Amino acid sequence: MRHERCRRTECQHMQAIDEMTAVEGLGLGFALGAINPKNLLMCIAAGVSIGSAALATSGVITTILVFTIIASSTVAIPVIGYLVAADRLREPLANLKVWLQDNNTTVMSVLILVVGVVLIGQGIGGIL
């Protein structure tokens, strides 16, 4: 099975990521975030939802800021935590990495399902 092979001897692309400099990691992170279709679809959906809401300009700005903070928190919290307490977080983050590699398909399927259900619900709500 592919996941077991990657876990026993980590996939080459994951080894390369582990050995990147901070600048290379920043560039890769930006590229993956900017061109990833699921990220683009989620951001487009958020933009459409925010844009179609009857909000004043201050409400739109506040909503965009909250969305940005929540969206970036999934990256910012582990990075800041690692910078503050690297020794204590090294093992839990390594375990989380293995778990995410092993369960990537399930995690992404659930995420896309939830986003789809929310969009369908908003669409039905807009019709009624």
Side-chain angles (χ1 to χ4, degrees), residues 2-12 14-15:
R2 191 183 76 166
H3 298 292
E4 290 175 10
R5 180 173 38 99
C6 287
R7 194 161 86 200
R8 271 187 269 125
T9 58
E10 207 171 82
C11 297
Q12 287 181 346
M14 293 304 290
Q15 286 177 346

Side-chain angles (χ1 to χ4, degrees), residues 67-78:
F67 171 78
T68 303
I69 290 167
I70 292 171
S72 64
S73 69
T74 59
V75 173
I77 290 172

Side-chain angles (χ1 to χ4, degrees), residues 6-110:
C6 287
R7 194 161 86 200
R8 271 187 269 125
T9 58
E10 207 171 82
C11 297
Q12 287 181 346
H13 68 280
M14 293 304 290
Q15 286 177 346
I17 290 172
D18 286 343
E19 297 169 2
M20 284 184 175
T21 65
V23 174
E24 292 170 334
L26 180 65
L28 178 64
F30 177 78
L32 291 175
I35 62 173
N36 190 325
K38 68 179 178 284
N39 290 350
L40 289 174
L41 289 174
M42 286 188 283
C43 288
I44 289 169
V48 168
S49 295
I50 294 168
S52 63
L55 299 173
T57 303
S58 61
V60 170
I61 292 170
T62 302
T63 305
I64 291 170
L65 287 174
V66 169
F67 171 78
T68 303
I69 290 167
I70 292 171
S72 64
S73 69
T74 59
V75 173
I77 290 172
V79 168
I80 292 169
Y82 190 79
L83 291 173
V84 171
D87 292 334
R88 287 191 304 175
L89 289 177
R90 189 168 284 119
E91 186 178 341
L93 286 175
N95 293 337
L96 178 61
K97 176 183 168 185
V98 170
W99 185 87
L100 286 171
Q101 287 172 336
D102 291 345
N103 296 289
N104 183 52
T105 303
T106 304
V107 170
M108 294 314 306
S109 297
V110 169

